[in-house]
């Protein structure tokens, strides 16, 4: 028995449904931003109905949009002052994305702190706005150099995601990965190991063992193994992550650059400095393609590369890289920009 090929009418219906969901989602958000909560609820109900018909009630996006609908419906029950506080919190959450985009992490953090306070005060803990505020706070706090606090934020976000969309949803798995990343930076390796392995198990069920989210968690787990001097395991995980990224034609992704950096660190641990030199060059080329020239990540790669070049008795090249790294750090950066982890 052969599988039926999709008919042109099926494809047209799917495209029409997708266009309708995009239109409804944009309209609901616009109405919410304008303060028209009651009208936004009507549109959001239509969106959930369309998604339920096309993806099923258990579909990932259906559950996400259902969570937003429940939040909107809760906002409709608030008094005028509480509703205003909710709308202000929502606007601050939206504004924080713009600040993160220009790496103004101080302003983003202030907006998110206030958004989180607003959401929890008028709604309670287990709502979409709370989960998203906490997740972004984790990102911002990590970029500002406080990984322990970042891990706390994202672990709390994961708990909220689990309640509102379930533990078989990509948002929950992604929050676990983010918490694992922050834990690595905080050198809480036991916690990082547990979080990343949990994320990997869930991502494998959701996307398969060749999915990009799975690859990202593999790359981060390789850092945990490296920190524990478990070099063969670190290398195997890193190479597997790179293989998956290549399958998806993501050779120029920040995750691939981070993998090359990890491989360089493994080579340094083995005192294989020529290999480290080659991998750091590959890492630097990718980062220079995908990051602004003043980004501190580039300076960090240059510093590591300079140390390797000195091991290879190439002091002139090392000095040039150190000078370039110092020049990057000395450049004027947007307010609040700080040195992030070696990741996307």
């Amino acid at each position: 028995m052969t599988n039926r090929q999709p008919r042109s009418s099926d494809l047209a219906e799917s495209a029409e449904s997708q266009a309708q969901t995009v239109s409804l989602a944009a309209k609901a958000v616009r109405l919410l931003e304008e303060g028209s909560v009651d009208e936004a609820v009507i549109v959001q109900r239509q969106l959930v109905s369309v998604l339920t018909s096309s993806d099923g009630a258990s579909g990932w996006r259906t559950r996400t949009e259902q969570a937003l609908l429940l939040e909107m419906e809760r906002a409709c029950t608030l008094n005028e002052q509480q509703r205003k506080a909710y709308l202000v919190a929502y606007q601050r959450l939206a504004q924080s994305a713009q600040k993160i985009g220009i790496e103004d992490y101080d302003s983003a953090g202030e907006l998110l702190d206030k958004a989180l306070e607003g959401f929890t005060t008028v709604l309670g803990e287990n709502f979409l706005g709370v989960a998203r505020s906490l997740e972004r706070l984790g990102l911002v706090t990590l970029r500002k150099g406080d990984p322990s606090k970042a891990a706390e934020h994202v672990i709390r976000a994961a708990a909220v995601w689990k309640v509102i969309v379930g533990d078989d949803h990509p948002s929950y798995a992604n929050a676990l990965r983010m918490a694992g990343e922050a834990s690595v930076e905080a050198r809480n390796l036991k916690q990082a190991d547990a979080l990343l392995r949990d994320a990997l198990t869930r991502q494998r069920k959701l996307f398969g063992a060749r999915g990009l989210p799975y690859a990202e968690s593999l790359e981060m787990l390789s850092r945990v193994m490296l920190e524990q001097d478990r070099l063969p395991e670190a290398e195997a995980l890193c190479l597997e992550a790179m293989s998956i990224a290549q399958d998806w034609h993501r050779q120029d992704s920040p995750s691939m650059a981070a993998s090359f950096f990890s491989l360089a660190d493994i080579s340094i641990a083995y005192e294989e400095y020529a290999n480290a030199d080659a991998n750091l060059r590959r890492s630097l080329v990718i980062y220079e393609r995908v990051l602004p020239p003043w980004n501190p990540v580039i300076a960090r790669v240059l510093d590591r590369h300079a140390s390797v070049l000195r091991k290879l008795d190439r002091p002139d090249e090392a000095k040039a890289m150190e000078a370039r790294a110092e020049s990057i750090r000395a450049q004027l950066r947007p307010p609040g920009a700080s040195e992030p982890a070696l990741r996307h």
Side-chain angles (χ1 to χ4, degrees):
M1 181 173 166
T2 58
N3 292 327
R4 182 180 71 83
Q5 294 297 315
R7 297 174 300 180
S8 58
S9 59
D10 294 333
L11 296 174
E13 184 178 344
S14 176
E16 183 180 350
S17 175
Q18 179 63 23
Q20 186 179 14
T21 59
V22 170
S23 175
L24 288 170
K27 185 176 181 180
V29 169
R30 186 182 72 251
L31 288 168
L32 201 55
E33 290 175 344
E34 292 172 353
S36 304
V37 183
D38 295 309
E39 294 177 52
V41 165
I42 294 171
V43 175
Q44 189 68 13
R45 284 175 180 158
Q46 292 176 313
L47 173 59
V48 170
S49 177
V50 171
L51 287 170
T52 302
S53 298
S54 59
D55 299 342
S58 62
W60 301 336
R61 190 174 177 192
T62 305
R63 282 184 277 167
T64 303
E65 297 298 343
Q66 178 66 38
L68 179 56
L69 174 59
L70 291 174
E71 178 175 295
M72 291 179 180
E73 290 175 337
R74 175 76 177 94
C76 286
T77 69
L78 302 174
N79 62 39
E80 184 177 351
Q81 184 177 358
Q82 291 171 327
R83 186 181 294 200
K84 182 178 179 180
Y86 166 74
L87 290 169
V88 169
Y90 186 87
Q91 290 164 0
R92 284 169 171 162
L93 177 61
Q95 291 165 3
S96 72
Q98 300 170 356
K99 298 299 182 181
I100 291 172
I102 62 172
E103 299 187 26
D104 184 355
Y105 298 126
D106 287 335
S107 296
E110 291 174 6
L111 286 166
L112 288 166
D113 280 332
K114 292 176 181 177
L116 180 61
E117 181 181 6
F119 284 130
T120 54
T121 298
V122 299
L123 296 177
E125 182 77 5
N126 294 319
F127 287 90
L128 192 67
V130 175
R132 286 177 170 164
S133 297
L134 286 167
E135 211 167 63
R136 289 185 191 173
L137 267 175
L139 172 64
V140 166
T141 309
L142 182 61
R143 296 297 182 259
K144 291 177 68 176
D146 190 351
S148 295
K149 189 66 177 177
E152 291 178 14
H153 286 314
V154 187
I155 288 171
R156 185 178 162 196
V160 178
W161 279 120
K162 185 176 182 179
V163 171
I164 64 177
V165 295
D167 62 2
D168 60 342
H169 192 283
S171 293
Y172 179 62
N174 184 61
L176 292 174
R177 185 199 62 77
M178 289 180 63
E181 177 182 350
S183 299
V184 173
E185 295 298 317
R187 299 191 60 79
N188 187 342
L189 301 181
K190 183 177 180 180
Q191 177 171 278
D193 190 293
L195 288 165
L196 290 168
R197 291 186 188 279
D198 194 0
L200 280 165
T201 297
R202 298 176 189 283
Q203 288 167 336
R204 185 172 186 134
K205 290 179 180 177
L206 291 165
F207 308 112
R210 302 300 291 179
L212 282 174
Y214 190 75
E216 291 176 357
S217 295
L218 284 173
E219 191 278 319
M220 184 49 61
L221 186 59
S222 75
R223 300 297 303 180
V224 177
M225 298 299 102
L226 181 59
E227 293 287 348
Q228 296 175 331
D229 292 325
R230 295 161 64 177
L231 301 183
E233 293 172 80
E235 186 171 23
L237 289 166
C238 200
L239 290 173
E240 185 180 355
M242 295 174 80
S243 172
I244 296 170
Q246 287 171 343
D247 288 349
W248 286 83
H249 304 290
R250 297 292 298 274
Q251 289 90 337
D252 284 347
S253 66
S255 181
M256 182 68 84
S259 292
F260 276 122
F261 189 89
S262 296
L263 282 180
D265 273 353
I266 293 166
S267 295
I268 291 169
Y270 280 126
E271 299 184 359
E272 297 172 348
Y273 299 116
N275 287 341
D277 175 24
N279 285 319
L280 285 167
R281 288 186 188 281
R282 294 185 184 104
S283 179
L284 184 60
V285 166
I286 297 172
Y287 276 132
E288 287 176 329
R289 285 176 185 160
V290 300
L291 296 178
W294 45 260
N295 194 291
V297 167
I298 294 175
R300 291 177 64 179
V301 178
L302 288 166
D303 283 334
R304 189 68 53 87
H305 203 169
S307 68
V308 168
L309 290 170
R310 291 192 180 280
K311 291 289 187 180
L312 292 170
D313 196 23
R314 291 153 62 181
D316 291 340
E317 293 176 70
K319 287 179 182 177
M321 289 200 169
E322 289 164 347
R324 186 179 164 204
E326 182 56 34
S327 174
I328 290 172
R329 282 189 288 266
Q331 288 183 56
L332 179 64
R333 299 197 296 269
S338 57
E339 186 167 342
L342 281 162
R343 302 198 47 73
H344 48 84

